[in-house]
Amino acid sequence: MTSYTVLNPATEQPVTTVPQASAEVTDAAIARATAAQRAWRANPPGERAALLRAFAAQVDAHAEELAALEVANSGHPISAARWEAGQVRDVLTYYSAAPERLTGRQIPVPGGLDVTFKEPVGVVGLIVPWNFPMPILSWGMAPALAAGCTVIAKPAELTPLTALRIGELASQAGLPDGVFQVLAGKGSVVGQRLVDHPDVRKIVFTGSTEVGQQIMAGCARHVKRLTLELGGKSANIVFADADIEKAAATAPYAVFDNAGQDCCARSRILVQRSAFDRFMELLEPAVKGVQVGDPRSGRTQMGPLISASHRDNVAKYVPDGAPVAFRGNTPAGPGYWFPPTVLAPVSMAAPVYTEEVFGPVVTVTPFDDEADAIALANDTPYGLSGSLWTRDVGRAIRVARAVETGNLSVNSHSSVRYWTPFGGFKQSGLGRELGPDALDAFTEVKNVFIATD
Ligand code: NDP
């Protein structure tokens, strides 16, 4: 069996070595998940709900340990990592209410009655990226388990540690063998096998658009169900009538959160021309004030990038001579650091303006009026997130409706909330996760006609 050495991105030192599953090991896991699914779906809904609550309690009891693991594996600041562990607990708790509310419908038909059932799709393959190892795992895992599916999760090769521990906590909570398994390994081996194996009935994938396209093609061979959460190039639109102070003060958090390694990063700031200079004056101290450093410190707001090769990719977007307006700091010494960087003015043909950077780099571009702002925001193949700032309620609603994106915030930099649906327009993905309807993605509707004549 091959193994992978996990590096701490803040120190470049090895953390631990993780065995990598092979295609044969993946097949054996799929067989276990298939066998376990029959009993799991037949479990009384109240028992399935109780087991999910017990799982949430285990995560809660080990939240500090999970947070510390994420700090070491992913370089996330400890305050963010604690929030992420709490998110796993909260998402499990939220969906633990679902098994007992998984109701169908009664439809009037001649000659009898028709009832619908929501049947679990079966074994789910959950392919998780390295940027948010805990939350993204929970967004697929919790509703799938609640729906009566069994789950095989494949964390990213770079960041397997919290997922592996969460898998152990599921067993300690009493989830039956085979109901939730975590397989560390390469995407091209374990992930590919989950896509290709006919007994895996649904894939949930979050990651790059390129790999998402390959997975979609692979799923097509089996007409396999699929949810895709892919890239983004989202806009933060600031109108001149907005609270410019607040918009500028929070803009760094809309793009530099998780060092910009966030599919929802609002990495194109669009500012109405008459407020542009004022916005830039206010943005500069906000960016320079972002605390970049040791992720173990409670004061740190931004940690390192995930790997040396990813830092090289990000750096390509800021070549020598790039129009750097201002940038923040990084610590000296080892670690894959990259400073928060603001570019302006930027050509709209520049890769940093058109492509997902997935690092702490943002462009600021002026616009003239509402129509111009909407056209600029929509001038991208992506449509995942976005923010807009204005005091005009009518404009807020008009622009929010016109921007082609799945998730928008008005006068706020927040993005994903587990109570509301999350997913993308255009090339940002397919389907929705989270929110009250998430179980629809893990169930098939069956209708049964019962003759009464
Ligand atoms: P990938 O899309 O390559 O990886 C995401 C997940 O898919 C990982 O678990 C990966 O496994 C797995 N995977 C890779 N190849 C296959 C395959 N053929 N079949 C099944 N699963 C596979 O993202 P990267 O890590 O390479 O990141 C590249 C870029 O993608 C980033 O710079 C960013 O732009 C974007 N990205 C977007 C994310 C988002 O949240 N929308 C998240 C992560 C990346 P493994 O890691 O083991 O190869």
Side-chain angles (χ1 to χ4, degrees):
M1 189 180 267
T2 57
S3 60
Y4 178 80
T5 301
V6 173
L7 295 182
N8 181 327
T11 63
E12 306 181 27
Q13 293 302 307
V15 178
T16 186
T17 300
V18 175
Q20 302 281 76
S22 61
E24 293 70 32
V25 168
T26 309
D27 283 351
I30 295 168
R32 274 197 301 281
T34 307
Q37 209 255 322
R38 290 181 210 113
W40 182 242
R41 66 174 292 174
N43 230 3
E47 281 180 27
R48 214 154 66 220
L51 283 166
L52 291 178
R53 285 195 291 274
F55 188 4
Q58 281 291 330
V59 170
D60 190 43
H62 295 84
E64 200 55 34
E65 177 198 344
L66 288 167
L69 264 183
E70 205 64 277
V71 170
N73 190 164
S74 304
H76 292 189
I78 182 68
S79 56
R82 285 185 178 127
W83 178 86
E84 290 161 14
Q87 167 103 152
V88 179
R89 173 202 58 220
D90 293 346
V91 171
L92 278 166
T93 305
Y94 181 75
Y95 287 110
S96 73
E100 293 172 292
R101 292 163 177 77
L102 202 54
T103 53
R105 304 173 72 188
Q106 181 266 313
I107 301 171
V109 288
L113 64 94
D114 198 288
V115 287
T116 66
F117 296 88
K118 291 185 179 171
E119 307 288 11
V121 294
V123 177
V124 172
L126 175 54
I127 301 174
V128 181
W130 48 259
N131 61 334
F132 286 107
M134 283 196 276
I136 294 176
L137 175 82
S138 71
W139 303 346
M141 166 186 85
L145 294 174
C149 298
T150 52
V151 176
I152 301 173
K154 192 214 88 67
E157 191 177 18
L158 291 169
T159 56
L161 299 186
T162 48
L164 288 166
R165 186 71 185 112
I166 289 168
E168 292 168 359
L169 296 174
S171 297
Q172 286 169 24
L175 264 74
D177 189 41
V179 167
F180 177 59
Q181 303 175 74
V182 180
L183 289 187
K186 282 184 180 300
S188 55
V189 178
V190 178
Q192 192 68 51
R193 194 68 193 131
L194 293 171
V195 171
D196 290 340
H197 199 297
D199 290 348
V200 177
R201 306 292 278 276
K202 159 129 197 170
I203 293 290
V204 178
F205 171 81
T206 304
S208 61
T209 301
E210 295 70 29
V211 174
Q213 286 166 333
Q214 289 170 32
I215 287 179
M216 196 170 176
C219 286
R221 284 195 288 277
H222 301 284
V223 195
K224 192 172 287 195
R225 274 61 181 150
L226 178 63
T227 301
L228 295 174
E229 299 291 356
L230 308 176
K233 189 69 187 170
S234 301
N236 187 357
I237 307 169
V238 183
F239 287 94
D241 70 354
D243 180 343
I244 302 289
E245 280 72 19
K246 194 168 174 196
T250 58
Y253 303 101
V255 59
F256 301 143
D257 183 43
N258 201 21
Q261 303 167 122
D262 181 352
C263 49
C264 291
R266 266 72 22 103
S267 56
R268 290 183 303 148
I269 303 179
L270 309 176
V271 186
Q272 196 157 19
R273 204 175 294 278
S274 57
F276 190 87
D277 291 344
R278 175 76 184 131
F279 181 85
M280 290 299 270
E281 265 170 39
L282 292 164
L283 183 63
E284 181 164 358
V287 169
K288 291 186 170 164
V290 174
Q291 298 293 314
V292 185
D294 185 348
R296 293 169 303 178
S297 161
R299 292 183 59 241
T300 295
Q301 295 174 306
M302 193 181 114
L305 294 173
I306 190 67
S307 66
S309 71
H310 187 56
R311 181 174 59 182
D312 291 347
N313 288 341
V314 171
K316 284 188 195 129
Y317 288 97
V318 192
D320 288 345
V324 175
F326 40 84
R327 62 198 325 186
N329 299 306
T330 57
Y336 310 126
W337 306 100
F338 198 89
T341 300
V342 178
L343 300 178
V346 172
S347 154
M348 286 181 198
V352 71
Y353 184 80
T354 58
E355 296 175 13
E356 180 173 49
V357 177
F358 230 58
V361 180
V362 68
T363 60
V364 193
T365 302
F367 67 84
D368 292 314
D369 56 19
E370 208 174 296
D372 193 22
I374 293 165
L376 289 175
N378 287 340
D379 186 19
T380 167
Y382 295 115
L384 190 55
S385 183
S387 294
L388 67 98
W389 295 81
T390 176
R391 287 192 169 100
D392 178 336
V393 177
R395 165 180 281 161
I397 292 170
R398 277 194 308 274
V399 177
R401 296 292 305 271
V403 175
E404 296 168 336
T405 186
N407 313 277
L408 259 158
S409 54
V410 176
N411 297 332
S412 159
H413 70 284
S414 80
S415 190
V416 187
R417 291 159 296 268
Y418 65 81
W419 308 273
T420 56
F422 175 65
F425 280 28
K426 303 195 280 185
Q427 290 184 24
S428 285
L430 204 62
R432 291 291 176 274
E433 299 187 281
L434 299 175
D437 300 325
L439 268 67
D440 289 351
F442 297 101
T443 51
E444 300 277 20
V445 174
K446 177 186 288 169
N447 89 71
V448 177
F449 170 72
I450 304 160
T452 52
D453 292 346

